[in-house]
Structures are given as C-alpha cells and as structure tokens.
C-alpha cells in the first residue's frame, strides 16, 4: 500500500472521486487509510506530534518549555524526544486557566494558533460539572471524519440489502454563549452545525450512500 501523507490543516481522510454512486470506493479509501495508520501507529503519531508542535509554535502554553528551541527545523523523531523530555504530562486542570481566558474573550494564541471557534463540552463530569474543550475548524473536520469512518465500518459489518433503508437518529443539545461570545455545546452539535458539514458534499454523499446501499 502506498504511504499516506498525514496533515493537520487539511482533512486527514482521502476520497476517491470515481465512486460508482453507492459509496463503495469512498468506503474502501476510508477503511484502508485507517488500517494503514493503525499498523504504523508509532510513525504516524510521531508525524502528528511534529505537525501539532510546528503549527502551534509560539503559543503561550508551550513557550515555557519550547520557547528557546528552533523546532521548525527539527526532524519528527528529534522533536518527539525533546517534547517527551521537557514538556510534562498535563491534565485538564493545567489547561483550565487558559480555557477560561478563551471563554472570557481572549483571542491571543494561548493553546493553538488556529482560532478557537467554539467550546465543546466533555461527555463526563468533574465535581459534578462538564469541562470546556477548545474547538477549532480542524476539530470540526476530524470529528466529522470519525463519524464517517464509523459509518464505513457499520456499513461493512451490517450491510443493507439492495433497496433497503436505515433510519439514523442524530441527537444534538442546546447551546449557550460564554462571556466572550463563544458558543458552548457538545462536539456532535458543533460538528453538524459546522461549515465543513454543510459544505462538504463528499461527506454527506457518502453518509447518504451508506444509508441507502
């Protein structure tokens, strides 16, 4: 299988535009991509870490540990070694002061160079409350890709007979605004309200094909 180039700013999954109309080629591309990166998890994770750090170089959170290094010129394996040796393990509590500043309207690059478009709510709670998770355009893309990948596997394991139909319920939640004007809601709610979902015909045509085939 040819190697896959992993990027963060563009959708990770690739699609075959020569689909025969029932989603089969798209399904193959998604599943083959996932199985490839799963078999090469160590290498892919090293690439992804390098991309994350280089694209978010200079954000306030990372300056404390990486501010004195020219990480743009470092190879992925060297950057991984540096990151694991100088940047400590963190919990949500370590990010919470930055997230609160974002919620209050601070638009400086605190955690990511990409603008924070919304705040997602965690599915679990801590001390009885859900946590805020920053959500960017890339977050919307990857969330939609996860849904599409899940649909591909469901379609393969539970195929629908010719002419059959599947009824799918998608649940979303109410949203609210923070002091700084950011919309807060679940990841699913943000995904289906996103520009990526509304405008990406390949995602939507695949989901329809998967339901109808």
């Amino acid at each position: 299988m040819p190697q896959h180039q992993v990027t963060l700013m563009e959708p990770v999954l690739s699609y075959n535009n020569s689909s025969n109309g029932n989603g089969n080629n798209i399904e193959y591309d998604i599943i083959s991509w996932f199985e490839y990166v799963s078999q090469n998890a160590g290498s892919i994770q090293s690439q992804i870490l390098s991309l994350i750090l280089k694209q978010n170089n200079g954000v306030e959170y990372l300056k404390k540990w990486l501010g004195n290094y020219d990480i743009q010129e470092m190879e992925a394996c060297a950057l991984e070694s540096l990151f694991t040796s100088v940047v400590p393990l963190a919990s949500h509590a370590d990010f919470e002061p930055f997230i609160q500043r974002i919620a209050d309207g601070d638009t400086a690059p605190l955690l990511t160079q990409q603008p924070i478009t919304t705040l997602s709510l965690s599915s679990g709670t801590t001390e009885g409350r859900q946590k805020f998770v920053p959500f960017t355009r890339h977050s919307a893309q990857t969330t939609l890709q996860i849904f599409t990948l899940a649909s591909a596997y469901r379609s393969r394991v539970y195929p629908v007979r010719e002419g059959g139909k599947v009824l799918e319920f998608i649940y979303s939640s109410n949203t609210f605004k923070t002091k700084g004007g950011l919309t807060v809601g679940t990841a699913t709610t943000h995904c289906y309200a996103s520009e990526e979902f509304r405008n990406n015909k390949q995602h939507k045509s695949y989901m329809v094909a998967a339901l109808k085939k």
Side-chain angles (χ1 to χ4, degrees), residues 17-137:
N17 291 327
S18 62
S19 170
N20 59 13
N22 64 6
N24 288 340
N25 287 347
I26 296 175
E27 177 183 313
Y28 173 79
D29 285 348
I30 296 169
I31 292 177
S32 64
W33 167 84
F34 181 72
E35 292 180 349
Y36 169 79
V37 296
S38 299
Q39 292 169 1
N40 298 275
S43 173
I44 296 298
Q45 286 180 338
S46 182
Q47 291 180 51
I48 291 293
L49 175 62
S50 177
L51 286 167
I52 290 172
L53 294 177
K54 290 180 179 181
Q55 290 179 5
N56 294 288
N57 187 30
V59 300
E60 186 172 325
Y61 176 76
L62 291 174
K63 280 183 179 179
K64 179 179 179 180
W65 301 286
L66 300 178
N68 295 325
Y69 295 92
D70 185 9
I71 67 173
Q72 297 294 353
E73 302 301 321
M74 296 181 68
E75 297 291 335
C77 58
L79 187 49
E80 178 183 12
S81 178
L82 173 66
F83 177 81
T84 55
S85 63
V86 301
V87 180
L89 291 174
S91 68
H92 186 271
D94 297 296
F95 302 111
E96 202 158 22
F98 298 93
I99 296 173
Q100 189 59 55
R101 287 169 60 185
I102 293 168
D104 290 342
D106 193 335
T107 58
L110 303 179
L111 298 174
T112 174
Q113 291 289 357
Q114 272 199 321
I116 304 301
T117 56
T118 52
L119 292 174
S120 178
L121 288 169
S122 64
S123 55
T125 61
T126 301
E127 297 179 350
R129 63 183 179 88
Q130 291 177 285
K131 298 180 285 291
F132 289 167
V133 179
F135 213 77
T136 66
R137 281 198 62 201

Side-chain angles (χ1 to χ4, degrees), residues 160-210:
V160 179
R161 68 179 184 274
E162 186 69 26
K165 294 182 179 180
V166 172
L167 177 63
E168 181 176 3
F169 293 95
I170 300 173
Y171 295 95
S172 63
S173 63
N174 293 327
T175 61
F176 61 92
K177 296 283 187 179
T178 67
K179 177 182 176 182
L182 288 179
T183 302
V184 181
T186 64
T188 302
T189 302
H190 290 325
C191 179
Y192 289 112
S194 69
E195 180 182 347
E196 284 72 23
F197 180 76
R198 293 196 304 269
N199 295 340
N200 195 320
K201 294 180 180 179
Q202 286 180 320
H203 281 296
K204 290 190 287 188
S205 65
Y206 169 70
M207 294 177 75
V208 171

